[in-house]
Amino acid sequence: MIETGFPTGGPTLRELGERDVIKRIRAQAPSAVNGDDAAVLAPPTPNSRVVAATDMLVQGRHFTSDTSTPYFVGRKAALQNFADIEAMGARPIAALLAVSAHPDMPVVVMEEIARGVGDMASDYACELVGGDVTSGDELVLSVTAIGALGGNRPPLTLAGARPGHRVIAHGRIGYSAAGLALLQAGVAVPPALEPLVAAHQVPQLTPGRGVVARAAGACSMTDNSDGLIRDISQIAEVSGVGIDLASNALTPDALLREAGELLHIDPWEWVLGGGEDHTLVGTIEGSAPVGFRSIGTVSRKQGVRIDGAEPATARGWESF
């Protein structure tokens, strides 16, 4: 069953005040190190480096009450930052949450957002350790993820792809965009297609896959947040290489095809330009690590191609 909508009624942020709102946030995502001026984190492993990432979600721009719930928004906000940490080959160890909201917003909305962030953090064996709340005209979330990069291997940056590498991916591609299209179409979503909606509301990423890839010898990585062609073009451009994708490794599956038929949309648009799946995409010299699959190769001829031809679309998310 698809869930959308934001709660109404009950005490508001204005009625409770900042201190009580923060207490309610902490109650939804408890942490022993949350509650002071700043959180003090112990080094998770010897010889580790700190990795940090932050993203914002703005109501009306990145989510609406028609397409999500506060709990799902919280989980998604955390996941998209954890995906950035994973894409460096690191593991998340803590999260910070800052929220700007209208004073008349019911406090239950804030509690559900915090619960979503806290539950996603728990999935990654880390905690929500602090943040901030303030008054504003729009609901805006900013999650900062802190990660640990262990060992002596270099991080998985955009600059590590080399000719001869295999292009690898972990996670679904195109599901989130298809789910959003279904929600926005105003049609009755068949139960069989509900996994697409779920993939948009809370994308799935197996914790630890970035660490596994780095340990297996991966050399570059990013996550599919803005669209596959757009994001993989970043690796090609920064590394000064070309990337040749294989269409048979990206062909829309039965769910995507069924959604495409229902909405009269070519599902390849979702695969190539959709984004927000937060699929890990990278390159490696040898075989694909456990949990990853091969989707192409790296060449000397710059640019991104599919079966040797220009992609049908390079459209993706644009912030401005």
Side-chain angles (χ1 to χ4, degrees):
M1 180 178 178
I2 296 172
E3 294 182 51
T4 60
F6 278 37
T8 59
T12 66
L13 303 182
R14 188 198 307 272
E15 290 168 344
L16 288 179
E18 180 181 359
R19 289 180 181 273
D20 280 346
V21 169
I22 290 174
K23 286 180 181 178
R24 293 196 177 210
I25 290 174
R26 292 178 59 199
Q28 294 299 321
S31 170
V33 298
N34 188 356
D36 217 310
D37 292 317
V40 178
L41 306 177
T45 58
N47 192 31
S48 64
R49 287 160 282 176
V50 175
V51 182
T54 189
D55 270 312
M56 299 176 69
L57 290 178
V58 179
Q59 188 171 17
R61 175 66 171 166
H62 301 102
F63 65 91
T64 71
S65 60
D66 293 331
T67 61
S68 195
T69 70
Y71 177 73
F72 291 153
V73 169
R75 286 189 66 90
K76 187 173 185 176
L79 185 280
Q80 68 184 36
N81 283 278
F82 292 163
D84 286 336
I85 299 295
E86 291 265 5
M88 302 299 292
R91 68 179 183 87
I93 58 173
L96 302 167
L97 169 66
V99 182
S100 173
H102 195 282
D104 294 328
M105 186 182 81
V107 71
V108 66
V109 175
M110 187 77 80
E111 290 179 309
E112 284 296 283
I113 289 171
R115 186 169 70 90
V117 173
D119 283 357
M120 183 61 77
S122 179
D123 289 349
Y124 279 78
C126 63
E127 296 177 342
L128 177 62
V129 300
D132 189 28
V133 294
T134 189
S135 173
D137 294 330
E138 305 288 344
L139 177 56
V140 180
L141 290 70
S142 177
V143 172
T144 297
I146 309 298
L149 187 73
N152 295 320
R153 287 182 177 272
L156 304 180
T157 68
L158 297 170
R162 298 292 180 267
H165 280 186
R166 182 190 307 271
V167 182
I168 56 174
H170 166 74
R172 293 162 170 163
I173 301 176
Y175 269 43
S176 178
L180 177 60
L182 287 166
L183 286 167
Q184 292 179 331
V187 300
V189 179
L193 297 183
E194 289 183 3
L196 299 177
V197 173
H200 171 71
Q201 292 177 323
V202 184
Q204 297 297 312
L205 179 65
T206 305
R209 287 302 96 186
V211 175
V212 167
R214 178 168 170 259
C219 302
S220 67
M221 189 161 287
T222 190
D223 73 299
N224 176 24
S225 56
D226 296 332
L228 179 64
I229 299 302
R230 178 170 292 220
D231 287 323
I232 214 163
S233 292
Q234 281 279 90
I235 293 179
E237 180 180 345
V238 175
S239 294
V241 298
I243 291 182
D244 296 288
L245 299 174
S247 64
N248 61 2
L250 300 170
T251 300
D253 67 12
L255 282 186
L256 292 174
R257 294 195 302 273
E258 184 177 344
E261 291 173 2
L262 178 66
L263 301 180
H264 306 291
I265 296 175
D266 183 352
W268 276 103
E269 293 185 18
W270 299 325
V271 171
L272 301 181
E276 281 207 317
D277 290 297
H278 298 293
T279 308
L280 297 180
V281 182
T283 70
I284 191 170
E285 186 174 359
S287 302
V290 174
F292 286 79
R293 63 190 183 279
S294 298
I295 63 171
T297 56
V298 180
S299 65
R300 296 185 183 278
K301 183 181 177 182
Q302 295 190 9
V304 175
R305 295 163 293 277
I306 300 178
D307 296 341
E310 291 293 317
T313 180
R315 180 180 58 85
W317 174 260
E318 178 56 62
S319 294
F320 298 100

